[in-house]
Amino acid sequence: MPSASHTRNPFTHVETPAVGVAVEHLTKNFGSLKVLKDVSFTVEPGEIFVLMGPSGSGKSVLLKHVVGLEYPTSGRVMVDGHDAASELTRERVRMALVFQSGALFNSLSVYDNLALYPREHRVADEAGIREKVMHALRILSLEGAARKFPADLSGGMKKRVAIARALVMEPQLMLYDEPTSELDPVMSATISEIIASLREEYHVTTIVVSHDRDLALNIADRVGILMDGKLIFLGPPSELREPKDPVVADFLAPKIDLQHPRFKKLET
Amino acid sequence: MKQITAILEGFGSTLLLLLRALSFSGTLVRQRARFFEQCYLIGYTTLPIVAILSFFIGSVLALQAGYSMQNFGTQQFIGSLVGLSMARELGPVMVAILVAGRVGSAIAAELASMKVYQEVDALETMNIPPARMLVLPRLAAALVMVPVLALIGDLVGWFGGALVSKYTSIISIEPEAYFAVLRRYTHFKDVVNGLLKAEVFGFVVVLVCCNIGLNTRGGPREIGASVTRAVVTSLILILVVDYFLTQVLM
């Protein structure tokens, strides 16, 4: 186990200080649509932070700010003390985002998907890259899929390949966008276990965007709930077992009410 | 007003993409595998259709010219007409139009699909600039291959004209006489100017198609819309650039 304040590289086993994330008064508008409204929270180094919220609440947009794919309307996101909006931050801090769809390169085999980052950044020779890729595939139990193409993989395997590809980047910060969506309950639990194991073994700071209640309650150190662009809850998962806020309670354990269906109350 | 803003935005983003791609020029040597792959796609796979089209353009040109010139008894100058027309104008423009339709559409579709399915975002999170990996090898390959295609188009078109001139009864000119006139009136400079045009057209087409592909937003429907926009914009630009280049190169 690495020390609490350090992230261990899964390949070299070298320990580097774990990174933290600070979201400061983040506001994001797309035209007249306000997606994020003055959101602030911090993610401690080595922590698993799960950001929950209903669809369209701005979770994925917030995640894109952390990795520098979106720029704030106001406020800022700091990653290890560097502004996430700056391109230099991606060079200073190794961040890996596991996309909801996997975003695997369809024209490349699984092996080449994983080898792309080390090849482009010339972090090792071809033999070293092979070792690294096969090691990442072994961690995710994917050795047999190396020669396959993304189109030949099941949904669960695609997610695992996406995680393996992120792992090859030797990340200090792992970001997951809806990692258990579109998966069966067993595969969802498997992905949750993988996320927790990677944090346990390598102490990599982890932010997970999800509306998977089981994932949040079982692996999160802290949970944030975003609703209509505002952070309405921030605390340990234990507080979510019996939430006091009725909005939070309804989100986590919605009751199916056939007499008064929700969709009839929704604005069109 | 909205359309003018969109045109200006498109122009600005294309220019920025060009500058960004050029800033990675030093990486081209280690991207040679991608460069050769693009040379194959732009050059080799486009060659058959370029040859077929150029052959029939040269042939039709000779036929039409022969039909008109027989009234004046000037059929012996058909070689110069076909030679100059193919070298200075029809060769480069037709090749550029083919490149726009065949290669440009494929580039726009591929990059738009990569954008829509977040592969481009994945590259950015990996700190791999799309301008370096996806744009630069294509631009370099276009610079090399489109003039080669235009040159082959010129040669095949001249050959098509020679065949028609020999075997059409209203013309009946031997290939030796046809090529003698062609050589006398078509100078090396005319061919080079044509190849230069082809080079500029190819570069513009690939750059525009890359930019439109990379700026696609939405879903599968927008991929189709991007391809249409890329091809239409390329065709318009080929003709606009052709006018100004012809002025400069006269």
Side-chain angles (χ1 to χ4, degrees), chain A residues 90-91 106 117 120-121, chain B residues 34 119 124 126-127 132:
Chain A
R90 274 185 243 159
E91 289 175 18
N106 286 316
Y117 178 85
E120 284 295 315
H121 292 277
Chain B
R34 285 192 196 113
E119 292 180 31
E124 285 182 11
M126 290 176 167
N127 208 15
R132 185 181 81 195

Side-chain angles (χ1 to χ4, degrees), chain B:
Chain B
M1 190 64 202
K2 213 173 174 182
Q3 281 176 329
I4 294 171
T5 313
I7 290 170
L8 290 175
E9 267 179 14
F11 182 74
S13 65
T14 307
L15 195 64
L16 282 175
L17 182 66
L18 172 63
L19 293 176
R20 211 162 152 67
L22 291 179
S23 72
F24 297 114
S25 302
T27 66
L28 198 56
V29 175
R30 71 181 174 92
Q31 294 200 77
R32 55 189 174 278
R34 285 192 196 113
F35 168 72
F36 288 126
E37 186 191 354
Q38 291 304 322
C39 284
Y40 174 81
L41 291 172
I42 295 173
Y44 186 76
T45 61
T46 317
L47 187 57
I49 192 164
V50 164
I52 293 168
L53 203 77
S54 300
F55 179 84
F56 284 104
I57 286 175
S59 305
V60 168
L61 206 56
L63 201 59
Q64 289 282 17
Y67 178 73
S68 307
M69 287 172 153
Q70 66 174 335
N71 298 325
F72 309 103
T74 52
Q75 295 100 313
Q76 68 270 26
F77 292 108
I78 282 176
S80 67
L81 192 141
V82 175
L84 274 173
S85 305
M86 286 303 296
R88 290 186 66 93
E89 197 60 44
L90 290 177
V93 170
M94 288 317 296
V95 164
I97 288 172
L98 284 179
V99 167
R102 199 185 181 286
V103 178
S105 59
I107 290 174
E110 185 182 350
L111 299 194
S113 160
M114 288 182 75
K115 178 72 182 174
V116 166
Y117 295 110
Q118 294 186 302
E119 292 180 31
V120 172
D121 286 347
L123 281 179
E124 285 182 11
T125 61
M126 290 176 167
N127 208 15
I128 301 171
R132 185 181 81 195
M133 187 178 140
L134 301 175
V135 180
L136 182 66
R138 286 178 166 89
L139 284 177
L143 278 179
V144 174
M145 294 315 296
V146 180
V148 173
L149 286 174
L151 183 61
I152 293 170
D154 288 351
L155 295 172
V156 174
W158 293 344
F159 178 70
L163 274 184
V164 166
S165 299
K166 181 174 167 55
Y167 293 107
T168 306
S169 58
I170 56 168
I171 306 173
S172 288
I173 295 173
E174 287 303 313
E176 292 79 17
Y178 170 91
F179 280 111
V181 175
L182 189 150
R183 276 199 302 272
R184 196 183 317 148
Y185 290 101
T186 309
H187 302 117
F188 182 67
K189 188 185 157 209
D190 298 318
V191 177
V192 171
N193 282 354
L195 299 187
L196 195 67
K197 272 185 176 183
E199 182 140 54
V200 174
F201 295 156
F203 191 80
V204 168
V205 165
V206 170
L207 181 64
V208 165
C209 292
C210 283
N211 188 57
I212 290 176
L214 287 173
N215 282 301
T216 305
R217 300 256 185 286
R221 203 167 122 175
E222 279 71 23
I223 296 173
S226 282
V227 173
T228 307
R229 199 163 59 248
V231 173
V232 171
T233 309
S234 297
L235 293 180
I236 293 169
L237 281 175
I238 288 168
L239 297 177
V240 172
V241 172
D242 184 34
Y243 175 79
F244 290 106
L245 265 182
T246 306
Q247 286 268 14
V248 171
L249 295 173
M250 261 184 173

Side-chain angles (χ1 to χ4, degrees), chain A residues 213 241 243 245-263 265:
Chain A
R213 183 172 169 267
R241 292 187 193 278
D245 185 336
V247 178
V248 174
D250 188 51
F251 168 68
L252 291 171
K255 289 187 180 69
I256 296 172
D257 185 353
L258 296 177
Q259 303 305 315
H260 306 96
R262 279 182 189 77
F263 72 92
K265 297 174 204 162

Side-chain angles (χ1 to χ4, degrees), chain A residues 2 33 38 51 68 103 131 136 157 164 166 175 178 182 223 249 265-266:
Chain A
L33 183 69
D38 195 26
L51 189 61
E131 196 178 315
M157 279 178 94
L175 307 157
E178 305 277 10
E182 300 162 31
V223 178
K265 297 174 204 162
L266 292 174

